[in-house]
Amino acid sequence: MIKILAACGAGVNSSHQIKSALENELANRGYQVTCDAVMIKDINEEMLSHYDIFAQIANTDLGFDINIPVVDAGAILYRIPAMAEPVYQNMEAAIQSIK
């Protein structure tokens, strides 16, 4: 099971949309993933150490080095398949890089 962390400003809307989209699309592609959605301000090194991939909505300086693959997932929010497809491809590449 691949664990993904998505985060947005409030941890309520955008990150949950990305969570749902990633879980659904990656399951359709044959991957076993789970995704959690949190507030960006709550992320720390300890929290991130429990995940395999970080799906960020915007490039944010968390104040520490991120030692797992980072995928820019904000384009999913536009709900335009042509814009979301590169995100899914990047996520698949990240999954392959950790297997």
Side-chain angles (χ1 to χ4, degrees):
M1 179 69 69
I2 302 295
K3 293 180 68 177
I4 302 169
L5 181 65
C8 68
V12 177
N13 190 13
S14 298
S15 58
H16 281 272
Q17 288 179 43
I18 288 173
K19 166 189 166 42
S20 177
L22 288 174
E23 287 177 340
N24 290 333
E25 183 63 28
L26 293 172
N28 289 341
R29 294 177 185 221
Y31 297 99
Q32 292 183 332
V33 302
T34 184
C35 186
D36 292 327
V38 299
M39 293 176 70
I40 193 80
K41 72 172 188 64
D42 292 339
I43 297 177
N44 57 42
E45 288 180 270
E46 165 64 20
M47 176 188 284
L48 213 50
S49 73
H50 299 283
Y51 292 91
D52 301 304
I53 301 170
F54 177 42
Q56 66 180 11
I57 293 171
N59 190 6
T60 303
D61 182 0
L62 298 175
F64 57 87
D65 291 332
I66 300 173
N67 298 317
I68 59 174
V70 178
V71 175
D72 293 326
I76 289 173
L77 300 173
Y78 293 107
R79 298 180 189 261
I80 299 171
M83 293 180 77
E85 182 58 29
V87 175
Y88 299 134
Q89 291 174 358
N90 290 339
M91 190 61 68
E92 283 189 285
I95 290 169
Q96 294 304 319
S97 77
I98 60 177
K99 284 193 168 185

